[in-house]
Structures are given as C-alpha cells and as structure tokens.
Amino acid sequence: MPRIFGCKKFIRLTSEQEDRDLNPSEERFLSRHREVCEECAQVARTTSNALNMLRLAAMEPEIEPMFEDRVIRKLKVQQVKESLNYWSPALVGAAIACAVIFVTLHLASSPTQMKRANLNSNEARRETPRLELDQPPVLR
Amino acid sequence: MLTHTIAAEAAAQERQWVGRCRQGDEAALGCLIARHRNRLVRTATNLLRDRHEAEDVAQEAFLKAFREINKLRDDRAFSGYLYRICVRLCMDRLRLKRAELVEFDSAQPHCGGNIENRVVIEKLLSQLPTELRTTLVLREMEQLSYEEVAEVMQVPIGTVRSRLHTARERFRKLWIEAVGD
C-alpha cells in the first residue's frame, strides 16, 4: 500500500507520544492516520513493542559486598602512588647525592697502599711517613 | 511538601559530606559511595550490558570524582558531576569495543523468553552508535528526562530529541530484522 500524506508527521508524533502528552488535535491526527495508513499503524505497533521489550531488558545492579571498602582502598593506593610520583625526582636526587657522599668518604678514609716489605709473618702494617725535620729542605 | 523537605535535607547532608571529603574524612567518603553506588552501577550495567565491567566503571568514576573533588566549585553539583563521569566512562568503553555485527536469521523468529529477549536487546544495542545507544538507554531504561539526558551528555535538548528519535527508528528497524514484526 503506498504511503499517504503525513506519514513523517505520524512517525514523529508516535515517537514524541512516548515522552509527552499529545494535544487533542495531534491525537486526532494520529487516530485518523492510523485508520487510513496500515503501514504507519504497523510501524507504531512495532515501535511500541520494541521499546517495551527494551524497558523490560533493564538490568538491576548486583553490587558485590565491600564495594565501599574497595573504592576507599583503591583511592588510598592512588594517593600513595601520586605522592610517590610527586616526590620521586627529589628521592632519586637524594639517593644519588648520598651515594656520591658515601663513595667520597670511603675513598678519603681508605688506607695508603701497603708495601710488600711491610708484610711480616702475614701481618699488615701501615707505613708511617717519616718526617725529616732535622735536615734542610732540598731545593730543586 | 514532605518529599521536598526530605530532598533538601539529603542535599544539605551531601554538601556536608563533600566538604568533609575535601578534608580527607574517610567516613564521609563511605557515605557518599553508599548513597550513589546503586544508581551508578545500574546505569553502567544498562549501558555496558556487563555487570563486572559496570562495577569497574562505577569504581573508576568514584576514584576520578574524589581525585578531582577540589576542582568542584559547587558542592551541590557533586551527584550530577559523578553521574556525568560515569556515563562518559561508559561511552569511552563502548567506543573502544568493536561493534559485533550480528546477523539474525529472520526465518526463525525468537520465542521471546526473558533471557533470550535480553540477549537480543543486547545485540541490537551493540549495533547502535555510542551516542544513540546512550541516549536511548538513559531515556528508556533509566527514565531520565530530556533535560537530565542533555545535562549528563552535555548537549542541547534539541540534540537529545533528535538523537532519541533517530535511535528509536533505528532500534525499531533492527528489531524487525531480528524478530520480525
């Protein structure tokens, strides 16, 4: 059956009917059009059926227990991560500085090299520098 | 009158909780989560059609909202702000998912069982573009008004109206393809 004048308006009003109360003239238009246009009447029925099935398919939530606790725990972890991210350049800098200071101190306090001659019966002795104060300095 | 008073009290209480949350009060966080979790999980479930993913998204929405709670200018806007984040996260996930095109055998119409109906609806929804799907679900399943949908999706009311009209039309056509008239 060929479509007649006003089919688009009928479709639009059918959709709007789901959301608002139509005024009397719009209601009249719909009922008159439905009588003369079987195709549009079928569209209206199908739309209504499809939307009803859609509404019936709405799912109710199944919230697992401890939902709040999990969110709060995640939030805390997130805050710790963020603070670590914030402080990490400073922490890395401090670690490098500590390492440098440690190595410097270690090198500065390390004993002078021992000579083989000072080793006597497996005993290591540090060579003490001799100060020759009684002799005049040699100028080169 | 009584309903109005209760709503005003609830709003005042929520403002207090938001203020306390800013100062790091854990109990207030718990109260806000308890108040909004059902709505968030339900909307996410209907949008994503997956309970586990919906719970993940709801948690993500809470985390994002709490992280940015200091940016919120008006404490009264918290619930809308939270809901908007949740819907946006759902839309992001829907965009990421590749739409699975399902071919229905129209010669064998579905017998209309409850679970089967859900599966069919799920498949039909997955064939709609994200914006149309979200508008349709928020309006038809979540029963939001045009104004609320417009606020959540941050589009004008006229856009909601036209999207809804298009979404219903497409959904109807998909429905006919799937189950017949």
Side-chain angles (χ1 to χ4, degrees), chain A residues 101-118:
Chain A
I101 291 169
F102 176 77
V103 169
T104 311
L105 287 175
H106 185 74
L107 287 176
S109 63
S110 67
T112 51
Q113 203 174 6
M114 298 195 187
K115 289 182 180 175
R116 281 213 162 266
N118 292 334

Side-chain angles (χ1 to χ4, degrees), chain B residues 73-179:
Chain B
R73 286 181 190 164
D74 186 0
D75 289 356
R76 284 172 295 181
F78 179 78
S79 64
Y81 175 67
L82 179 66
Y83 196 70
R84 229 175 4 253
I85 291 175
C86 182
V87 171
R88 220 174 298 152
L89 288 173
C90 289
M91 287 176 77
D92 288 345
R93 293 218 179 187
L94 288 175
R95 282 193 197 101
L96 283 175
K97 277 183 188 174
R98 289 183 68 83
E100 292 171 19
L101 291 173
V102 184
E103 288 184 8
F104 288 96
D105 185 0
S106 53
Q108 290 179 330
H110 295 261
C111 34
N114 200 19
I115 294 169
E116 197 175 359
N117 174 45
R118 279 191 177 176
V119 173
V120 173
I121 295 289
E122 202 169 299
K123 285 174 180 171
L124 298 185
L125 285 175
S126 74
Q127 292 176 71
L128 288 177
T130 305
E131 277 74 18
L132 296 185
R133 174 178 177 163
T134 308
T135 312
L136 192 66
V137 169
L138 290 180
R139 175 73 193 132
E140 299 296 344
M141 287 179 166
E142 295 298 313
Q143 307 282 308
L144 297 191
S145 67
Y146 277 26
E147 289 78 12
E148 286 167 329
V149 177
E151 196 197 322
V152 168
M153 296 184 76
Q154 295 192 303
V155 291
I157 291 181
T159 309
V160 173
R161 194 170 289 127
S162 70
R163 276 185 188 170
L164 197 56
H165 180 66
T166 314
R168 281 175 179 156
E169 250 320 271
R170 285 213 201 168
F171 187 75
R172 183 184 65 82
K173 284 177 183 165
L174 290 169
W175 176 262
I176 292 170
E177 277 175 33
V179 296

Side-chain angles (χ1 to χ4, degrees), chain A:
Chain A
M1 185 177 167
R3 289 204 157 197
I4 58 167
F5 182 73
C7 290
K8 272 192 176 176
K9 186 180 174 185
F10 180 88
I11 302 288
R12 181 175 57 80
L13 285 178
T14 309
S15 174
E16 286 183 21
Q17 198 177 24
E18 301 285 339
D19 304 317
R20 67 175 176 94
D21 292 329
L22 300 181
N23 62 41
S25 72
E26 288 171 331
E27 290 277 11
R28 267 199 308 278
F29 170 80
L30 280 187
S31 63
R32 262 196 316 225
H33 192 90
R34 204 175 283 124
E35 283 168 14
V36 292
C37 183
E38 178 52 34
E39 201 175 331
C40 280
Q42 181 63 28
V43 167
R45 275 196 296 273
T46 323
T47 307
S48 177
N49 277 346
L51 292 179
N52 280 339
M53 295 314 268
L54 179 67
R55 286 173 201 134
L56 282 176
M59 294 163 82
E60 279 306 310
E62 278 176 16
I63 297 170
E64 287 179 25
M66 315 293 278
F67 182 89
E68 287 96 334
D69 292 342
R70 270 185 293 145
V71 175
I72 291 173
R73 206 181 316 129
K74 278 188 179 179
L75 193 67
K76 282 179 184 169
V77 171
Q78 201 177 48
Q79 283 168 347
V80 169
K81 275 185 186 169
E82 277 172 9
S83 65
L84 276 179
N85 283 344
Y86 180 78
W87 287 107
S88 60
L91 290 174
V92 169
I96 291 170
C98 283
V100 168
I101 291 169
F102 176 77
V103 169
T104 311
L105 287 175
H106 185 74
L107 287 176
S109 63
S110 67
T112 51
Q113 203 174 6
M114 298 195 187
K115 289 182 180 175
R116 281 213 162 266
N118 292 334
L119 294 174
N120 187 17
S121 63
N122 297 335
E123 189 184 348
R125 283 186 194 163
R126 185 180 287 180
E127 184 187 26
T128 47
R130 242 182 349 183
L131 293 174
E132 295 169 342
L133 295 173
D134 51 336
Q135 289 183 4
V138 181
L139 295 172
R140 292 175 185 172

